[in-house]
Amino acid sequence: MPRFHVPGPLTPNADLALPPGAARHVQVLRLQPGAQITLFNGEGGECLATVTAMGRSDVRVRLGEHQAIDREPLRPVQLATGVMASDRMDWLVEKATELGAAALTPVLTERCALRLSGERAQKKRAHWQAVATAACEQSGRNRLLDVREQLTFQELLNTAGSAGGTRWLLSLDAAAPRLHTLAAALAPDEPVTLLSGPEGGLSPAEEAAARASGFAPVHLGPRVLRAETAPLAALAVLLTSG
């Protein structure tokens, strides 16, 4: 059944005009009055809705009962990743959403290939949030991945401690503990913040600063993974262990 994100309250038995994006999608799917769809607002749960009217540019539905369906993992995981080239960042946001990450913070690091500021940074954040929303629609999540405001590397270190929980740095240091070993010892609901670098990784100075600020290094194994692959591999371990 098609799923659509609709911001705002979803009141049972109410009539609702779908927002433009969802309305266009319904029209592209050639749904007709009487067709059923699923709506969610990103705040938890979902509800069935029945298409009642199709116009040239508007679609109206009647909402059914709210269903408190939760498909979120028990463990909240936040990603802090060096900003990568646009296509790689889009892919990371999409797959991190599917895997169940709670939040993603883009971080400006020394080796970032893409550097955004001001209005361009805000537009890119809105784009990534739209990518995450679409991935929620596809994957069945009823809560949105929170794409947060871009931070400098130092800003991230200054604020990371306030999140609580465990903080790990994805490192190429072969002497660092293996992630899957540490993850198996965590409480199932232990929050985790994962820091990973962009293409080329974090600089030695950045890795040293991260360690000094409380990020413990962890190792994923003998192979060198791409910048967009490493955090996803770590997410898969964290969200299927415990």
Side-chain angles (χ1 to χ4, degrees):
M1 183 180 298
R3 288 170 41 86
F4 303 99
H5 175 249
V6 176
L10 296 174
T11 306
N13 302 315
D15 291 315
L16 177 72
L18 294 183
R24 282 195 299 273
H25 197 170
V26 168
Q27 290 168 330
V28 167
L29 292 174
R30 299 183 182 276
L31 300 182
Q32 299 299 318
Q36 287 198 317
I37 59 177
T38 301
L39 303 181
F40 68 102
N41 62 8
E43 299 173 11
E46 62 189 31
C47 69
L48 294 178
T50 302
V51 177
T52 57
M54 298 279 293
R56 285 192 173 184
S57 59
D58 64 302
V59 176
R60 298 196 67 84
V61 301
R62 185 167 183 80
L63 302 179
E65 292 298 317
H66 183 269
Q67 299 175 324
I69 296 173
D70 184 10
R71 301 185 180 95
E72 294 301 293
L74 188 60
R75 173 178 294 141
V77 178
Q78 300 184 33
L79 294 180
T81 64
V83 180
M84 297 168 239
S86 293
D87 56 341
R88 294 186 177 187
M89 201 71 181
D90 285 4
W91 194 80
L92 172 62
V93 170
E94 180 182 79
K95 302 310 174 188
T97 302
E98 292 176 22
L99 286 168
L104 186 147
T105 301
V107 184
L108 282 177
T109 67
E110 184 178 323
R111 295 172 177 170
C112 282
L114 180 66
R115 293 189 172 272
L116 302 169
S117 61
E119 184 178 356
R120 289 184 66 217
Q122 292 304 315
K123 286 183 177 179
K124 186 60 75 172
R125 180 187 181 189
H127 167 74
W128 289 328
Q129 190 65 69
V131 170
T133 299
C136 282
E137 291 177 338
Q138 177 273 322
S139 64
R141 288 187 69 175
N142 287 325
R143 293 189 182 274
L144 300 180
L145 171 77
D146 180 13
V147 180
R148 296 180 174 170
E149 185 175 358
Q150 176 182 272
L151 298 178
T152 66
F153 187 74
Q154 189 57 54
E155 287 172 336
L156 173 75
L157 297 188
N158 292 344
T159 59
S162 62
T166 295
R167 284 177 285 165
W168 282 331
L169 161 70
L170 298 185
S171 174
L172 293 176
D173 182 359
R178 291 288 291 268
L179 174 65
H180 76 273
T181 301
L182 297 180
L186 286 180
D189 59 351
E190 170 75 5
V192 174
T193 299
L194 280 174
L195 171 59
S196 64
E199 301 96 330
L202 299 176
S203 70
E206 287 171 332
E207 182 157 341
R211 293 187 188 211
S213 71
F215 281 90
V218 294
H219 191 52
L220 287 174
R223 292 171 298 283
V224 177
L225 303 182
R226 288 183 178 272
E228 70 272 27
T229 307
L232 297 177
L235 269 179
V237 172
L238 287 169
L239 297 179
T240 56
S241 63

